[in-house]
Each structure stands twice: as C-alpha cells, then as structure tokens.
Amino acid sequence: MQITSNTVFIPGATSGIGLALALALQERGNTVIVGGRRAELLERIRAEHPGIDTVAIDTADPESIRVAARHVLDTHPDLNVLVTMAGIMRAEDWHTPDGFLASAEATVTTNLLGPIRLIGAFIEHLRTRPDATIMTVSSGLAFTPLKATPTYNATKAAIHRLSDSIRLQLADTAVQVVELVPPAVRTALMPGQENSEVAMPLDDYIAEVMQLIETQPDARELQVERVKFLRYSEVRGEYDQVVSVLNATDPHADAAA
Ligand SMILES: NC(=O)c1ccc[n+]([C@@H]2O[C@H](COP(=O)([O-])OP(=O)(O)OC[C@H]3O[C@@H](n4cnc5c(N)ncnc54)[C@H](OP(=O)(O)O)[C@@H]3O)[C@@H](O)[C@H]2O)c1
C-alpha cells in the first residue's frame, strides 16, 4: 500500500487505533472515511476534522454493512483501501457457559464475521481499482494467547490465517492484503487499557505504523518492534516462556491486546 493518494474506508475508527490511523492517513494526503456505531463520535470527528467523511455502520449486522458499503461506494467511487478495524475484546470465564457463550458469539460476529462480510461487500469494487489494499487487523495475541480472552485470541488467529489465505487467492489481482498486527496499545479496547504501563502509547504506535507503510509498501504484515515478542515466540522456540510472562500479570490490569 502506498502511503498517500488513497481513498480509505476504516469501519471501526470512531476511537483508538482506527481514529489515530485515520487522522495520520488524512495528514499524508489520503481521503478517509471513518465508520462506526457511535453517532455522537462520528459527528464530532466530522466537525473537528474537515475533509474526513463518516458513515454509520454496525459491522455485526450484515444489512448495516450492505447499506454502508453502498453509500461509501456511491459517494467515493475512487475507494481503493478497506481497513477492517472494528473489533471487541472481552474477558471470559470458560468454566461455565454463562461465563463465555454470549461473549464468544459476539466476538466471533464482530471480529471474524465482520471482516469477512466487509470484504464480501467491497471485493468486487476493489478488484476494479488499479491499486487496492485490504488491511486486516489481527493482534500479537493471534500468536501467543492471553488466558483471559480465549475467543478474542481465536478470532485474531483466524484473521491471521484468513489474511494469508486470501492473499494467495488474490495474487492474480491488483488487491494487496496487508495484516496490521498490533501489540498492546493504549486504547479503550479493554477496561484499564488506556492507562496501562505495559501497553504502547497510541501516538508512538501510529507513528511507527506510518513509517512501516512508507518504507515497506509491499509488506504482508505491519509489525512494530513491540509486537515481535509475541509474534515470533514460537519461531524462537520460546512459546511456553512467553505465554508464562504474558499471563503472569493481572490480565484485567495489563490487557495485552
Ligand atoms: N489496543 C490494542 O492493544 C490492540 C491490540 C491488538 C489489536 N487491536 C485491534 O485493533 C482494533 C481497534 O481497537 P482499539 O484498540 O482501537 O479499540 P477501540 O478504541 O475500542 O476501538 C474499537 C473500534 O471498533 C469499533 N467497533 C466495535 N464494534 C463495532 C461494530 N459492531 N460495528 C462498527 N464498529 C465497531 C468501535 O466503534 P463504535 O463503538 O463507535 O462502533 C471503535 O471505533 C480492534 O480490531 C482490536 O482488536 C487492538
């Protein structure tokens, strides 16, 4: 993906990594459309950042995806980048069904079905563009699990493998598949995470990601240095030790999304 001159839709950008990435991309000369459910945040983003367009979308709802995709493509026919950012992360207790079932279903719907349905809604259009990108969003926890969040870890591992797989299929097109692999970053994804000392400051994270996009336009994965501890634990032969270190801290206090 080139760093500039794209038209980028980021469903899941009303806060956190998505919003910070949207603003950084706008600053670098991209047209950006921010999506999400929280209408008051969409309105504020439009008011505070002239030039950014917004669209209401619930990526857990296939009809909402269809309506939003139609609107985005009607108003931005030059769209060439889709970032499947929307995600949720919940602590679960798998000892009893009450402790995890509802959370697991919601997490699979948002974190896995959501990106799949979004790609379904945009792939035919993206294939018409001379230079297009699907950016998926996984996590260091796709590679080394946090005990507190089994379904989250599983959906992010699935996103990793999905990204690898569709990259193979789309190799005969001009659509690049890039996986953003964040480490723990200070956002409101989990309670307490915005102030977590073990999480990376959001500004630092986005600055490093923008540098990676600029210097590695053909990268398959956008990996900041901080995520490599989790991303390559198994490759280094340190999986058990890294799982222990990651889970030694209180997962609610030190959510390592
Ligand atoms: N922060 C981390 O440590 C970390 C690490 C690895 C991966 N990630 C991933 O990065 C992505 C962004 O998370 P974040 O950390 O920036 O957390 P965040 O601030 O909570 O952002 C989550 C975003 O997803 C949107 N979203 C959630 N459910 C949605 C739905 N059903 N429909 C539409 N939008 C939805 C939210 O918007 P609305 O509520 O307005 O809909 C919000 O804009 C997620 O996929 C997360 O798994 C984060």
Side-chain angles (χ1 to χ4, degrees), residues 89-121:
M89 180 176 188
R90 296 185 182 159
E92 296 168 348
D93 178 352
W94 279 62
H95 291 90
T96 64
D98 282 356
F100 69 89
L101 260 189
S103 156
E105 290 183 9
T107 304
V108 170
T109 303
T110 303
N111 293 9
L112 183 55
L113 266 181
I116 289 171
R117 287 170 172 155
L118 281 164
I119 293 167

PDB file of all heavy atoms in Angstrom, residues 89-121:
ATOM      1  N   MET A  89     -13.035  -6.828  22.532  1.00  0.00           N
ATOM      2  CA  MET A  89     -12.199  -7.746  23.316  1.00  0.00           C
ATOM      3  C   MET A  89     -12.811  -7.879  24.704  1.00  0.00           C
ATOM      4  O   MET A  89     -12.968  -6.878  25.413  1.00  0.00           O
ATOM      5  CB  MET A  89     -10.792  -7.180  23.429  1.00  0.00           C
ATOM      6  CG  MET A  89      -9.846  -8.056  24.231  1.00  0.00           C
ATOM      7  SD  MET A  89      -8.183  -7.351  24.193  1.00  0.00           S
ATOM      8  CE  MET A  89      -7.263  -8.684  24.967  1.00  0.00           C
ATOM      9  N   ARG A  90     -13.201  -9.089  25.080  1.00  0.00           N
ATOM     10  CA  ARG A  90     -13.858  -9.289  26.369  1.00  0.00           C
ATOM     11  C   ARG A  90     -13.198 -10.416  27.152  1.00  0.00           C
ATOM     12  O   ARG A  90     -12.848 -11.453  26.580  1.00  0.00           O
ATOM     13  CB  ARG A  90     -15.333  -9.623  26.147  1.00  0.00           C
ATOM     14  CG  ARG A  90     -16.062  -8.449  25.508  1.00  0.00           C
ATOM     15  CD  ARG A  90     -17.533  -8.714  25.383  1.00  0.00           C
ATOM     16  NE  ARG A  90     -18.173  -7.575  24.730  1.00  0.00           N
ATOM     17  CZ  ARG A  90     -19.331  -7.611  24.114  1.00  0.00           C
ATOM     18  NH1 ARG A  90     -19.999  -8.748  24.069  1.00  0.00           N
ATOM     19  NH2 ARG A  90     -19.829  -6.525  23.552  1.00  0.00           N
ATOM     20  N   ALA A  91     -13.085 -10.180  28.457  1.00  0.00           N
ATOM     21  CA  ALA A  91     -12.606 -11.247  29.340  1.00  0.00           C
ATOM     22  C   ALA A  91     -13.708 -12.296  29.473  1.00  0.00           C
ATOM     23  O   ALA A  91     -14.897 -11.951  29.534  1.00  0.00           O
ATOM     24  CB  ALA A  91     -12.248 -10.667  30.703  1.00  0.00           C
ATOM     25  N   GLU A  92     -13.314 -13.567  29.493  1.00  0.00           N
ATOM     26  CA  GLU A  92     -14.288 -14.663  29.569  1.00  0.00           C
ATOM     27  C   GLU A  92     -13.834 -15.684  30.613  1.00  0.00           C
ATOM     28  O   GLU A  92     -12.637 -15.838  30.857  1.00  0.00           O
ATOM     29  CB  GLU A  92     -14.366 -15.381  28.204  1.00  0.00           C
ATOM     30  CG  GLU A  92     -14.881 -14.493  27.075  1.00  0.00           C
ATOM     31  CD  GLU A  92     -14.670 -15.116  25.691  1.00  0.00           C
ATOM     32  OE1 GLU A  92     -13.932 -16.129  25.582  1.00  0.00           O
ATOM     33  OE2 GLU A  92     -15.231 -14.571  24.730  1.00  0.00           O
ATOM     34  N   ASP A  93     -14.820 -16.382  31.172  1.00  0.00           N
ATOM     35  CA  ASP A  93     -14.535 -17.491  32.084  1.00  0.00           C
ATOM     36  C   ASP A  93     -15.179 -18.746  31.490  1.00  0.00           C
ATOM     37  O   ASP A  93     -16.406 -18.881  31.468  1.00  0.00           O
ATOM     38  CB  ASP A  93     -15.120 -17.179  33.470  1.00  0.00           C
ATOM     39  CG  ASP A  93     -14.880 -18.318  34.441  1.00  0.00           C
ATOM     40  OD1 ASP A  93     -14.408 -19.406  34.001  1.00  0.00           O
ATOM     41  OD2 ASP A  93     -15.178 -18.144  35.636  1.00  0.00           O
ATOM     42  N   TRP A  94     -14.329 -19.644  31.011  1.00  0.00           N
ATOM     43  CA  TRP A  94     -14.825 -20.831  30.302  1.00  0.00           C
ATOM     44  C   TRP A  94     -15.170 -21.993  31.229  1.00  0.00           C
ATOM     45  O   TRP A  94     -15.372 -23.127  30.755  1.00  0.00           O
ATOM     46  CB  TRP A  94     -13.803 -21.261  29.239  1.00  0.00           C
ATOM     47  CG  TRP A  94     -13.929 -20.443  27.984  1.00  0.00           C
ATOM     48  CD1 TRP A  94     -13.751 -19.099  27.856  1.00  0.00           C
ATOM     49  CD2 TRP A  94     -14.322 -20.906  26.684  1.00  0.00           C
ATOM     50  NE1 TRP A  94     -13.997 -18.680  26.577  1.00  0.00           N
ATOM     51  CE2 TRP A  94     -14.342 -19.769  25.821  1.00  0.00           C
ATOM     52  CE3 TRP A  94     -14.642 -22.157  26.153  1.00  0.00           C
ATOM     53  CZ2 TRP A  94     -14.687 -19.879  24.467  1.00  0.00           C
ATOM     54  CZ3 TRP A  94     -14.970 -22.254  24.799  1.00  0.00           C
ATOM     55  CH2 TRP A  94     -14.994 -21.118  23.982  1.00  0.00           C
ATOM     56  N   HIS A  95     -15.278 -21.752  32.540  1.00  0.00           N
ATOM     57  CA  HIS A  95     -15.669 -22.838  33.443  1.00  0.00           C
ATOM     58  C   HIS A  95     -17.161 -23.145  33.345  1.00  0.00           C
ATOM     59  O   HIS A  95     -17.590 -24.256  33.638  1.00  0.00           O
ATOM     60  CB  HIS A  95     -15.309 -22.483  34.889  1.00  0.00           C
ATOM     61  CG  HIS A  95     -13.828 -22.452  35.125  1.00  0.00           C
ATOM     62  ND1 HIS A  95     -13.065 -21.322  34.955  1.00  0.00           N
ATOM     63  CD2 HIS A  95     -12.970 -23.443  35.492  1.00  0.00           C
ATOM     64  CE1 HIS A  95     -11.799 -21.604  35.214  1.00  0.00           C
ATOM     65  NE2 HIS A  95     -11.711 -22.882  35.538  1.00  0.00           N
ATOM     66  N   THR A  96     -17.961 -22.111  32.990  1.00  0.00           N
ATOM     67  CA  THR A  96     -19.408 -22.325  32.856  1.00  0.00           C
ATOM     68  C   THR A  96     -19.876 -21.566  31.617  1.00  0.00           C
ATOM     69  O   THR A  96     -19.299 -20.532  31.270  1.00  0.00           O
ATOM     70  CB  THR A  96     -20.184 -21.747  34.062  1.00  0.00           C
ATOM     71  OG1 THR A  96     -20.011 -20.314  34.070  1.00  0.00           O
ATOM     72  CG2 THR A  96     -19.700 -22.327  35.388  1.00  0.00           C
ATOM     73  N   PRO A  97     -20.955 -22.050  30.981  1.00  0.00           N
ATOM     74  CA  PRO A  97     -21.403 -21.368  29.757  1.00  0.00           C
ATOM     75  C   PRO A  97     -21.779 -19.912  29.999  1.00  0.00           C
ATOM     76  O   PRO A  97     -21.560 -19.068  29.118  1.00  0.00           O
ATOM     77  CB  PRO A  97     -22.608 -22.193  29.290  1.00  0.00           C
ATOM     78  CG  PRO A  97     -22.915 -23.154  30.379  1.00  0.00           C
ATOM     79  CD  PRO A  97     -21.721 -23.278  31.248  1.00  0.00           C
ATOM     80  N   ASP A  98     -22.299 -19.625  31.177  1.00  0.00           N
ATOM     81  CA  ASP A  98     -22.654 -18.223  31.469  1.00  0.00           C
ATOM     82  C   ASP A  98     -21.437 -17.312  31.398  1.00  0.00           C
ATOM     83  O   ASP A  98     -21.566 -16.105  31.184  1.00  0.00           O
ATOM     84  CB  ASP A  98     -23.249 -18.097  32.887  1.00  0.00           C
ATOM     85  CG  ASP A  98     -24.685 -18.555  32.905  1.00  0.00           C
ATOM     86  OD1 ASP A  98     -25.200 -18.875  31.819  1.00  0.00           O
ATOM     87  OD2 ASP A  98     -25.270 -18.614  34.008  1.00  0.00           O
ATOM     88  N   GLY A  99     -20.272 -17.894  31.617  1.00  0.00           N
ATOM     89  CA  GLY A  99     -19.064 -17.089  31.666  1.00  0.00           C
ATOM     90  C   GLY A  99     -18.492 -16.733  30.300  1.00  0.00           C
ATOM     91  O   GLY A  99     -17.591 -15.890  30.222  1.00  0.00           O
ATOM     92  N   PHE A 100     -19.006 -17.399  29.248  1.00  0.00           N
ATOM     93  CA  PHE A 100     -18.354 -17.112  27.967  1.00  0.00           C
ATOM     94  C   PHE A 100     -19.237 -17.140  26.724  1.00  0.00           C
ATOM     95  O   PHE A 100     -18.882 -16.530  25.718  1.00  0.00           O
ATOM     96  CB  PHE A 100     -17.178 -18.084  27.742  1.00  0.00           C
ATOM     97  CG  PHE A 100     -17.597 -19.511  27.491  1.00  0.00           C
ATOM     98  CD1 PHE A 100     -17.846 -19.944  26.200  1.00  0.00           C
ATOM     99  CD2 PHE A 100     -17.726 -20.408  28.528  1.00  0.00           C
ATOM    100  CE1 PHE A 100     -18.227 -21.256  25.954  1.00  0.00           C
ATOM    101  CE2 PHE A 100     -18.110 -21.726  28.289  1.00  0.00           C
ATOM    102  CZ  PHE A 100     -18.358 -22.155  27.005  1.00  0.00           C
ATOM    103  N   LEU A 101     -20.370 -17.842  26.763  1.00  0.00           N
ATOM    104  CA  LEU A 101     -21.068 -18.081  25.490  1.00  0.00           C
ATOM    105  C   LEU A 101     -21.498 -16.812  24.771  1.00  0.00           C
ATOM    106  O   LEU A 101     -21.241 -16.638  23.579  1.00  0.00           O
ATOM    107  CB  LEU A 101     -22.296 -18.968  25.730  1.00  0.00           C
ATOM    108  CG  LEU A 101     -22.126 -20.449  25.384  1.00  0.00           C
ATOM    109  CD1 LEU A 101     -23.476 -21.152  25.468  1.00  0.00           C
ATOM    110  CD2 LEU A 101     -21.517 -20.648  24.002  1.00  0.00           C
ATOM    111  N   ALA A 102     -22.156 -15.906  25.508  1.00  0.00           N
ATOM    112  CA  ALA A 102     -22.650 -14.678  24.855  1.00  0.00           C
ATOM    113  C   ALA A 102     -21.475 -13.864  24.322  1.00  0.00           C
ATOM    114  O   ALA A 102     -21.502 -13.358  23.193  1.00  0.00           O
ATOM    115  CB  ALA A 102     -23.475 -13.855  25.841  1.00  0.00           C
ATOM    116  N   SER A 103     -20.427 -13.763  25.132  1.00  0.00           N
ATOM    117  CA  SER A 103     -19.245 -13.008  24.716  1.00  0.00           C
ATOM    118  C   SER A 103     -18.594 -13.648  23.490  1.00  0.00           C
ATOM    119  O   SER A 103     -18.197 -12.965  22.541  1.00  0.00           O
ATOM    120  CB  SER A 103     -18.245 -12.953  25.876  1.00  0.00           C
ATOM    121  OG  SER A 103     -16.946 -12.750  25.382  1.00  0.00           O
ATOM    122  N   ALA A 104     -18.504 -14.977  23.521  1.00  0.00           N
ATOM    123  CA  ALA A 104     -17.839 -15.674  22.411  1.00  0.00           C
ATOM    124  C   ALA A 104     -18.594 -15.438  21.104  1.00  0.00           C
ATOM    125  O   ALA A 104     -17.990 -15.161  20.056  1.00  0.00           O
ATOM    126  CB  ALA A 104     -17.738 -17.166  22.712  1.00  0.00           C
ATOM    127  N   GLU A 105     -19.918 -15.525  21.169  1.00  0.00           N
ATOM    128  CA  GLU A 105     -20.701 -15.335  19.939  1.00  0.00           C
ATOM    129  C   GLU A 105     -20.570 -13.902  19.419  1.00  0.00           C
ATOM    130  O   GLU A 105     -20.405 -13.665  18.217  1.00  0.00           O
ATOM    131  CB  GLU A 105     -22.167 -15.713  20.190  1.00  0.00           C
ATOM    132  CG  GLU A 105     -22.310 -17.217  20.389  1.00  0.00           C
ATOM    133  CD  GLU A 105     -23.748 -17.674  20.579  1.00  0.00           C
ATOM    134  OE1 GLU A 105     -24.673 -16.853  20.391  1.00  0.00           O
ATOM    135  OE2 GLU A 105     -23.935 -18.859  20.920  1.00  0.00           O
ATOM    136  N   ALA A 106     -20.615 -12.934  20.329  1.00  0.00           N
ATOM    137  CA  ALA A 106     -20.490 -11.524  19.913  1.00  0.00           C
ATOM    138  C   ALA A 106     -19.104 -11.263  19.335  1.00  0.00           C
ATOM    139  O   ALA A 106     -18.942 -10.527  18.343  1.00  0.00           O
ATOM    140  CB  ALA A 106     -20.748 -10.603  21.105  1.00  0.00           C
ATOM    141  N   THR A 107     -18.097 -11.879  19.935  1.00  0.00           N
ATOM    142  CA  THR A 107     -16.721 -11.639  19.495  1.00  0.00           C
ATOM    143  C   THR A 107     -16.475 -12.249  18.106  1.00  0.00           C
ATOM    144  O   THR A 107     -15.854 -11.624  17.241  1.00  0.00           O
ATOM    145  CB  THR A 107     -15.718 -12.191  20.533  1.00  0.00           C
ATOM    146  OG1 THR A 107     -16.017 -11.596  21.804  1.00  0.00           O
ATOM    147  CG2 THR A 107     -14.282 -11.879  20.168  1.00  0.00           C
ATOM    148  N   VAL A 108     -16.986 -13.455  17.906  1.00  0.00           N
ATOM    149  CA  VAL A 108     -16.836 -14.073  16.575  1.00  0.00           C
ATOM    150  C   VAL A 108     -17.585 -13.233  15.534  1.00  0.00           C
ATOM    151  O   VAL A 108     -17.076 -12.968  14.433  1.00  0.00           O
ATOM    152  CB  VAL A 108     -17.344 -15.531  16.577  1.00  0.00           C
ATOM    153  CG1 VAL A 108     -17.424 -16.081  15.155  1.00  0.00           C
ATOM    154  CG2 VAL A 108     -16.434 -16.409  17.430  1.00  0.00           C
ATOM    155  N   THR A 109     -18.773 -12.771  15.884  1.00  0.00           N
ATOM    156  CA  THR A 109     -19.575 -11.994  14.926  1.00  0.00           C
ATOM    157  C   THR A 109     -18.855 -10.705  14.545  1.00  0.00           C
ATOM    158  O   THR A 109     -18.778 -10.336  13.373  1.00  0.00           O
ATOM    159  CB  THR A 109     -20.957 -11.665  15.528  1.00  0.00           C
ATOM    160  OG1 THR A 109     -21.582 -12.892  15.889  1.00  0.00           O
ATOM    161  CG2 THR A 109     -21.833 -10.922  14.531  1.00  0.00           C
ATOM    162  N   THR A 110     -18.321 -10.009  15.529  1.00  0.00           N
ATOM    163  CA  THR A 110     -17.674  -8.717  15.238  1.00  0.00           C
ATOM    164  C   THR A 110     -16.278  -8.905  14.659  1.00  0.00           C
ATOM    165  O   THR A 110     -15.931  -8.278  13.651  1.00  0.00           O
ATOM    166  CB  THR A 110     -17.577  -7.878  16.532  1.00  0.00           C
ATOM    167  OG1 THR A 110     -18.884  -7.710  17.062  1.00  0.00           O
ATOM    168  CG2 THR A 110     -16.959  -6.512  16.257  1.00  0.00           C
ATOM    169  N   ASN A 111     -15.474  -9.746  15.286  1.00  0.00           N
ATOM    170  CA  ASN A 111     -14.044  -9.790  14.930  1.00  0.00           C
ATOM    171  C   ASN A 111     -13.731 -10.682  13.729  1.00  0.00           C
ATOM    172  O   ASN A 111     -12.709 -10.491  13.076  1.00  0.00           O
ATOM    173  CB  ASN A 111     -13.228 -10.314  16.120  1.00  0.00           C
ATOM    174  CG  ASN A 111     -13.224  -9.362  17.298  1.00  0.00           C
ATOM    175  OD1 ASN A 111     -13.959  -8.379  17.314  1.00  0.00           O
ATOM    176  ND2 ASN A 111     -12.408  -9.659  18.294  1.00  0.00           N
ATOM    177  N   LEU A 112     -14.602 -11.652  13.463  1.00  0.00           N
ATOM    178  CA  LEU A 112     -14.313 -12.557  12.346  1.00  0.00           C
ATOM    179  C   LEU A 112     -15.346 -12.429  11.225  1.00  0.00           C
ATOM    180  O   LEU A 112     -14.996 -12.159  10.072  1.00  0.00           O
ATOM    181  CB  LEU A 112     -14.223 -14.001  12.852  1.00  0.00           C
ATOM    182  CG  LEU A 112     -13.851 -15.052  11.799  1.00  0.00           C
ATOM    183  CD1 LEU A 112     -12.558 -14.702  11.084  1.00  0.00           C
ATOM    184  CD2 LEU A 112     -13.734 -16.430  12.459  1.00  0.00           C
ATOM    185  N   LEU A 113     -16.628 -12.581  11.585  1.00  0.00           N
ATOM    186  CA  LEU A 113     -17.652 -12.451  10.537  1.00  0.00           C
ATOM    187  C   LEU A 113     -17.687 -11.037   9.974  1.00  0.00           C
ATOM    188  O   LEU A 113     -17.917 -10.843   8.785  1.00  0.00           O
ATOM    189  CB  LEU A 113     -19.028 -12.794  11.113  1.00  0.00           C
ATOM    190  CG  LEU A 113     -19.513 -14.226  10.966  1.00  0.00           C
ATOM    191  CD1 LEU A 113     -20.908 -14.365  11.584  1.00  0.00           C
ATOM    192  CD2 LEU A 113     -19.536 -14.651   9.504  1.00  0.00           C
ATOM    193  N   GLY A 114     -17.460 -10.043  10.844  1.00  0.00           N
ATOM    194  CA  GLY A 114     -17.480  -8.647  10.391  1.00  0.00           C
ATOM    195  C   GLY A 114     -16.497  -8.417   9.250  1.00  0.00           C
ATOM    196  O   GLY A 114     -16.887  -7.974   8.161  1.00  0.00           O
ATOM    197  N   PRO A 115     -15.214  -8.682   9.455  1.00  0.00           N
ATOM    198  CA  PRO A 115     -14.247  -8.521   8.360  1.00  0.00           C
ATOM    199  C   PRO A 115     -14.595  -9.343   7.124  1.00  0.00           C
ATOM    200  O   PRO A 115     -14.455  -8.875   5.991  1.00  0.00           O
ATOM    201  CB  PRO A 115     -12.922  -8.988   8.983  1.00  0.00           C
ATOM    202  CG  PRO A 115     -13.080  -8.697  10.443  1.00  0.00           C
ATOM    203  CD  PRO A 115     -14.540  -8.961  10.740  1.00  0.00           C
ATOM    204  N   ILE A 116     -15.079 -10.580   7.330  1.00  0.00           N
ATOM    205  CA  ILE A 116     -15.439 -11.419   6.177  1.00  0.00           C
ATOM    206  C   ILE A 116     -16.563 -10.744   5.381  1.00  0.00           C
ATOM    207  O   ILE A 116     -16.513 -10.641   4.148  1.00  0.00           O
ATOM    208  CB  ILE A 116     -15.867 -12.834   6.661  1.00  0.00           C
ATOM    209  CG1 ILE A 116     -14.636 -13.607   7.168  1.00  0.00           C
ATOM    210  CG2 ILE A 116     -16.584 -13.598   5.550  1.00  0.00           C
ATOM    211  CD1 ILE A 116     -14.952 -14.925   7.864  1.00  0.00           C
ATOM    212  N   ARG A 117     -17.566 -10.267   6.093  1.00  0.00           N
ATOM    213  CA  ARG A 117     -18.705  -9.628   5.388  1.00  0.00           C
ATOM    214  C   ARG A 117     -18.274  -8.312   4.735  1.00  0.00           C
ATOM    215  O   ARG A 117     -18.738  -7.972   3.638  1.00  0.00           O
ATOM    216  CB  ARG A 117     -19.839  -9.375   6.385  1.00  0.00           C
ATOM    217  CG  ARG A 117     -20.556 -10.664   6.790  1.00  0.00           C
ATOM    218  CD  ARG A 117     -21.495 -10.401   7.948  1.00  0.00           C
ATOM    219  NE  ARG A 117     -22.336 -11.551   8.250  1.00  0.00           N
ATOM    220  CZ  ARG A 117     -22.877 -11.773   9.443  1.00  0.00           C
ATOM    221  NH1 ARG A 117     -22.674 -10.922  10.444  1.00  0.00           N
ATOM    222  NH2 ARG A 117     -23.642 -12.826   9.642  1.00  0.00           N
ATOM    223  N   LEU A 118     -17.397  -7.577   5.407  1.00  0.00           N
ATOM    224  CA  LEU A 118     -16.910  -6.325   4.812  1.00  0.00           C
ATOM    225  C   LEU A 118     -16.144  -6.608   3.523  1.00  0.00           C
ATOM    226  O   LEU A 118     -16.337  -5.933   2.505  1.00  0.00           O
ATOM    227  CB  LEU A 118     -16.003  -5.585   5.800  1.00  0.00           C
ATOM    228  CG  LEU A 118     -16.714  -4.802   6.900  1.00  0.00           C
ATOM    229  CD1 LEU A 118     -15.743  -4.448   8.024  1.00  0.00           C
ATOM    230  CD2 LEU A 118     -17.359  -3.527   6.338  1.00  0.00           C
ATOM    231  N   ILE A 119     -15.282  -7.589   3.570  1.00  0.00           N
ATOM    232  CA  ILE A 119     -14.517  -7.926   2.357  1.00  0.00           C
ATOM    233  C   ILE A 119     -15.495  -8.364   1.264  1.00  0.00           C
ATOM    234  O   ILE A 119     -15.363  -7.973   0.102  1.00  0.00           O
ATOM    235  CB  ILE A 119     -13.449  -8.999   2.666  1.00  0.00           C
ATOM    236  CG1 ILE A 119     -12.384  -8.416   3.608  1.00  0.00           C
ATOM    237  CG2 ILE A 119     -12.799  -9.504   1.374  1.00  0.00           C
ATOM    238  CD1 ILE A 119     -11.441  -9.436   4.233  1.00  0.00           C
ATOM    239  N   GLY A 120     -16.527  -9.114   1.652  1.00  0.00           N
ATOM    240  CA  GLY A 120     -17.546  -9.523   0.682  1.00  0.00           C
ATOM    241  C   GLY A 120     -18.227  -8.329   0.029  1.00  0.00           C
ATOM    242  O   GLY A 120     -18.561  -8.352  -1.156  1.00  0.00           O
ATOM    243  N   ALA A 121     -18.443  -7.287   0.826  1.00  0.00           N
ATOM    244  CA  ALA A 121     -19.155  -6.109   0.315  1.00  0.00           C
ATOM    245  C   ALA A 121     -18.277  -5.250  -0.598  1.00  0.00           C
ATOM    246  O   ALA A 121     -18.805  -4.465  -1.387  1.00  0.00           O
ATOM    247  CB  ALA A 121     -19.667  -5.271   1.486  1.00  0.00           C
TER     248      ALA A 121
END
